[in-house]
């Protein structure tokens, strides 16, 4: 009871970001006019450590979001930010050393972690993450959360978000991804370098 009072009364569940107006590192695209066609064409992209081009959730095919949900958080549409079944399983696995290891983080929790960069390796960090994820789910629609997640995640080689990853791996926009291509991108998340389709296609 004391722990519950502490958690709900003193743990900071606020987020530094407004999901409707995220401030992230984005890629700058330079266009030049083609002297033959008189049309503007892409000349160069400039970015720092994060290569990211935002794409609205409504411009993504439904199967793209479904692929990430299937791999990362199958109960995403039903939970309140925390999948308690997975969370209890993850804690039991941590302390009882089950043979199969799995994490308890939902898509919402992963978004929280990426936005706050709170990566302390202790139980209180996990509690903060859970509280913030629940707060996020109270304030935003599932589509907003999923859309932000798909624009934030690392998909290998500093490529952040599905648009740049689609450009690089498939030479197309995220809106044109097939079901199979969407599954390839979703497969990268658990270990971006190990599952990169360009370097480790068999793993992917």
């Amino acid at each position: 009871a004391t722990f519950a009072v502490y958690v709900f009364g003193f743990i900071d569940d606020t987020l530094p970001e407004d999901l409707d107006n995220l401030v992230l590192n984005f890629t700058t695209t330079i266009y030049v006019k083609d002297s033959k066609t008189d049309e503007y064409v892409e000349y160069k992209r400039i970015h720092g450590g994060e290569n990211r081009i935002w794409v609205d959730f409504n411009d993504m095919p439904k199967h793209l979001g479904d692929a990430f949900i299937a791999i990362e958080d199958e109960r995403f549409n039903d939970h309140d930010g925390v999948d308690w079944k997975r969370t209890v399983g993850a804690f039991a696995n941590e302390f009882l050393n089950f043979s199969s290891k799995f994490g308890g983080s939902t898509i919402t929790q992963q978004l929280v972690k990426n936005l706050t960069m709170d990566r302390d390796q202790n139980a209180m960090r996990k509690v903060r993450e859970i509280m913030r994820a629940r707060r996020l789910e109270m304030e935003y629609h599932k589509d907003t959360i999923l859309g932000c997640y798909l624009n934030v995640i690392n998909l290998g080689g500093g490529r952040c978000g599905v648009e740049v990853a689609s450009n690089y791996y498939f030479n197309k926009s995220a809106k044109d991804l097939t079901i199979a291509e969407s599954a390839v991108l979703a497969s990268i998340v658990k270990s971006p370098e190990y599952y990169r389709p360009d370097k480790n296609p068999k793993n992917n």
Side-chain angles (χ1 to χ4, degrees):
T2 301
F3 180 71
V5 169
Y6 173 71
V7 167
F8 288 98
F10 299 98
I11 294 295
D12 181 14
D13 65 351
T14 59
L15 283 170
E17 300 285 356
D18 174 2
L19 295 194
D20 293 322
N21 297 285
L22 275 182
V23 178
L24 301 170
N25 293 320
F26 291 106
T27 298
T28 298
T29 304
I30 300 173
Y31 293 89
V32 297
K33 184 176 285 188
D34 188 316
S35 58
K36 295 179 181 178
T37 64
D38 207 34
E39 294 180 355
Y40 282 95
V41 295
E42 183 177 316
Y43 170 67
K44 191 173 185 179
R45 294 183 181 184
I46 301 173
H47 60 83
E50 296 180 346
N51 183 2
R52 178 186 291 107
I53 296 176
W54 185 272
V55 57
D56 289 335
F57 182 72
N58 291 333
D59 293 329
M60 301 179 194
K62 184 178 183 300
H63 55 251
L64 177 59
D66 289 345
F68 281 86
I69 289 173
I71 289 178
E72 287 295 296
D73 185 4
E74 62 184 356
R75 286 180 285 275
F76 172 73
N77 290 310
D78 301 316
H79 63 61
D80 59 356
V82 181
D83 187 335
W84 293 108
K85 182 177 179 180
R86 287 182 62 187
T87 299
V88 171
F91 273 108
N93 182 66
E94 182 70 24
F95 293 108
L96 300 179
N97 295 316
F98 293 155
S99 58
S100 60
K101 191 169 181 65
F102 58 93
S105 292
T106 62
I107 281 175
T108 311
Q109 288 173 266
Q110 290 178 51
L111 176 60
V112 167
K113 186 187 298 183
N114 278 287
L115 293 179
T116 61
M117 301 306 290
D118 186 353
R119 303 190 185 281
D120 291 346
Q121 296 299 314
N122 56 52
M124 291 315 298
R125 192 274 301 172
K126 195 67 176 178
V127 172
R128 287 194 299 271
E129 183 182 287
I130 288 172
M131 296 296 290
R132 288 166 173 168
R134 287 173 54 83
R135 177 72 174 269
L136 211 60
E137 294 262 353
M138 287 190 288
E139 296 185 3
Y140 297 96
H141 191 274
K142 288 279 188 180
D143 288 354
T144 301
I145 293 170
L146 182 57
C148 289
Y149 168 81
L150 292 173
N151 277 290
V152 166
I153 50 173
N154 174 17
L155 291 170
R159 295 170 195 89
C160 299
V162 294
E163 181 65 17
V164 167
S166 301
N167 295 168
Y168 179 78
Y169 295 121
F170 303 114
N171 196 31
K172 61 171 65 174
S173 175
K175 66 182 176 63
D176 298 319
L177 288 170
T178 65
I179 292 175
E181 290 164 345
S182 297
V184 166
L185 293 189
S187 300
I188 301 173
V189 180
K190 289 189 182 300
S191 182
E193 294 306 313
Y194 183 78
Y195 290 116
R196 277 181 60 171
D198 57 337
K199 290 188 174 182
N200 300 301
K202 289 185 179 180
N203 295 345
N204 184 280

